[in-house]
Amino acid sequence: ESIERSGNKDIAKSLSGKVPGLIVNDRGGYPGDGDMTLLIRGKSTLGNNTPLILIDGIVAGDFSYLAPQDIESLTVLKDGAAAIYGARAANGVILITTKRGKSGAPKFNLSTSYSLSTFSVQPKLMSSEQFAIYNNEIAERHGNPLPYSQEDIAKYAAGNDPNYPNTDWQDVTFADYSPEARVTLSVSGGSDNVKYFVSGDYMNQVGLYDSGNLNFEQYQVRSNLDIKLHEYLNLGVDLSGRFGERNEPGVNDSYIYQHIYVNFPTEVGIYPNGLPGWGGENGANPYVMSSTESGFIKHIDNDLRGKFSFDLNLDWITEGLQAKGFAGIRKMNFDEKSWATPWTVYRYSESTDEYVSESGYWRQGNTSLLRESFWKYDELMLNATIHYDRTFDEHTVRGFVGYEQFSSQQRNFWAERKDFPSKNHPELFAGGDDQQISYGTSAEWGRINYFGSLSYDFKKKYFIDLTLRHDGSSNFGEGKRFGTFPGAAVSWSLVLWIGRTVG
């Protein structure tokens, strides 16, 4: 409920400060950018420190995109509590379950939100007057001629001469606010035999560039069905899909930010007639670079997931016996088109009273460059468990044994061309044949896991819990692919009675 009430569109960010031992570090900032680090109990290795994330039992690389209204529960497992999940749980486990239908009439839920974001703090930059005074002081200390006269400084301070600008590159490049909107609609209900939860989610985010050319749009659908086929047999069919598109300017964000803070305030950002000024080296005007005048980067990200499960009650064999299993499918693809092209900036010529156009660029060679990339990932997960839960007088025994298998394939390739004759045709066929590059790889992985748990308690007072997992991974060489991960816990429930005598 606290996550649903949070105004943050990113669930992982909403967890910051709410879960003990969980460290959330956002290293991105662009809308739809998942460059975020999650650490449970801090770093544990020089390599990958990412926790294992499971959504309805299926492995997920991220959960930031989920609609908060779709989540039933979120659990963070640390230390020994995560041992049953084996080698991949070394950095902790985050378990997420989505909502399911309940018997009754259809229940509709509509959630909408609109928010405005801005910077919490920004660096204070020198004005052109301060910059001129500062550089004069440096020159004076070194015994060099002063670069700015008092008349120059006075004109910078007055700010009414376009030839003596006072440019705040932050103000020129950034908008005052970034709008974000989200709409989620769900319906749930069902009968004793069929229960359903169906939802749709739409999210739109616009970045803080004044151009508005930094944005992210996402559509998401989910359907969770529970079907009772027989007194002893239940089936589950869960389907979900996420379709996202992120658009960025053609210039790398680090290069844009670099020139916001190194360009001189004495350079023109935008002339009074609306033409963009030179800016800095190679025409690096952040106002232009943060727009599609410098090209664009389009990311299309699709993620399809399916889970087909069964729950078989075996009480007809012996009381407390149950069999469960599921097949999980993930199909993801990522398509990126990166188009970087020179842009046009202007210098004012006092002698001719004209604005002379020049070409600005950030890639070496001052030429257009197009790269198209594609990444595809498929995964199949099979899971089967047998459970036993029974109480004999004052003794309770619970346990399960299970088998799990993963197989996955990945394929990616990219192609690149330069020297396009026109900015109007960002397609590979239009590029030059010289220096064209292409590359591609493929890979596959497999895992087999055997696991089990046994719990015993006496009078709900004395408890023994044992877990064991035997993991095998294709990442290691033959003879070294399997590892065993045991866990044990013994506990005693202490009850204190506190009373008083009334006389």
Side-chain angles (χ1 to χ4, degrees), residues 100-404:
R100 313 199 71 83
K102 299 178 182 179
S103 298
K107 182 180 179 181
F108 292 87
N109 181 44
L110 175 63
S111 174
T112 64
S113 66
Y114 182 84
S115 60
L116 298 173
S117 301
T118 189
F119 293 110
S120 55
V121 64
Q122 287 181 266
K124 292 184 178 180
L125 304 179
M126 282 185 175
S127 66
S128 55
E129 177 192 11
Q130 293 169 327
F131 180 79
I133 294 172
Y134 179 72
N135 278 276
N136 277 357
E137 291 175 352
I138 294 176
E140 187 176 9
R141 290 192 189 101
H142 290 85
N144 297 327
L146 302 184
Y148 298 96
S149 67
Q150 289 302 314
E151 183 182 1
D152 292 333
I153 295 174
K155 289 183 178 180
Y156 282 127
N160 52 18
D161 188 335
N163 295 312
Y164 291 85
N166 179 28
T167 302
D168 183 337
W169 291 102
Q170 293 178 142
D171 184 61
V172 167
T173 307
F174 295 127
D176 294 330
Y177 297 98
S178 166
E180 302 178 2
R182 188 164 206 163
V183 180
T184 304
L185 175 64
S186 67
V187 57
S188 62
S191 63
D192 292 338
N193 294 325
V194 179
K195 301 178 181 67
Y196 58 87
F197 175 84
V198 180
S199 72
D201 176 73
Y202 170 75
M203 181 171 64
N204 183 280
Q205 295 176 299
V206 179
L208 271 165
Y209 289 145
D210 189 65
S211 65
N213 296 141
L214 174 64
N215 54 73
F216 173 67
E217 192 172 43
Q218 174 183 277
Y219 297 88
Q220 191 173 182
V221 293
R222 179 177 305 278
S223 172
N224 293 344
L225 299 179
D226 295 304
I227 306 168
K228 185 176 182 179
L229 288 183
H230 187 269
E231 179 183 359
Y232 294 113
L233 179 61
N234 295 302
L235 298 181
V237 179
D238 301 350
L239 301 173
S240 66
R242 181 176 66 89
F243 312 93
E245 179 178 316
R246 185 169 86 246
N247 295 290
E248 305 174 18
V251 175
N252 184 286
D253 56 346
S254 62
Y255 194 78
I256 295 174
Y257 273 70
Q258 171 189 337
H259 285 277
I260 289 174
Y261 299 111
V262 302
N263 281 8
F264 298 157
T266 53
E267 291 284 349
V268 175
I270 305 174
Y271 286 104
N273 60 4
L275 295 177
W278 171 255
E281 60 175 341
N282 303 324
N285 185 329
Y287 169 76
V288 183
M289 295 191 298
S290 60
S291 72
T292 53
E293 289 297 314
S294 64
F296 61 83
I297 303 175
K298 176 180 286 189
H299 311 262
I300 297 177
D301 184 13
N302 298 325
D303 187 349
L304 302 176
R305 301 163 62 88
K307 180 183 179 182
F308 307 91
S309 59
F310 74 89
D311 187 337
L312 179 62
N313 188 324
L314 299 174
D315 280 347
W316 49 276
I317 297 178
T318 183
E319 183 183 346
L321 190 62
Q322 190 179 30
K324 297 181 180 181
F326 67 83
I329 300 172
R330 298 173 68 196
K331 299 183 76 67
M332 299 183 291
N333 63 71
F334 179 79
D335 192 353
E336 179 180 286
K337 188 170 187 175
S338 176
W339 169 244
T341 183
W343 54 88
T344 302
V345 288
Y346 296 84
R347 291 183 190 266
Y348 175 70
S349 172
E350 292 189 59
S351 59
T352 61
D353 191 27
E354 293 180 340
Y355 293 91
V356 182
S357 64
E358 297 189 34
S359 182
Y361 63 94
W362 74 291
R363 290 187 179 275
Q364 186 177 8
N366 189 16
T367 183
S368 297
L369 174 67
L370 176 65
R371 172 180 286 201
E372 295 201 42
S373 309
F374 181 79
W375 174 85
K376 181 176 182 289
Y377 179 85
D378 297 323
E379 180 179 85
L380 173 64
M381 176 182 178
L382 302 175
N383 179 292
T385 54
I386 296 178
H387 299 252
Y388 184 70
D389 186 347
R390 192 167 180 180
T391 300
F392 304 89
D393 296 327
E394 298 176 332
H395 307 270
T396 300
V397 178
R398 296 185 182 89
F400 68 86
V401 292
Y403 169 83
E404 197 169 64

Side-chain angles (χ1 to χ4, degrees), residues 4 56 68-72 97-101 109 197 222 224:
E4 287 188 29
D56 291 331
Q69 288 73 23
D70 285 358
I71 296 178
E72 180 69 28
T97 59
T98 58
K99 293 180 179 178
R100 313 199 71 83
N109 181 44
F197 175 84
R222 179 177 305 278
N224 293 344

Side-chain angles (χ1 to χ4, degrees), residues 416-421 428-437:
E416 176 181 296
R417 280 193 173 190
K418 300 180 180 179
D419 300 326
F420 288 75
L428 285 172
F429 81 89
D433 293 334
D434 294 339
Q435 301 180 7
Q436 61 177 324
I437 307 173

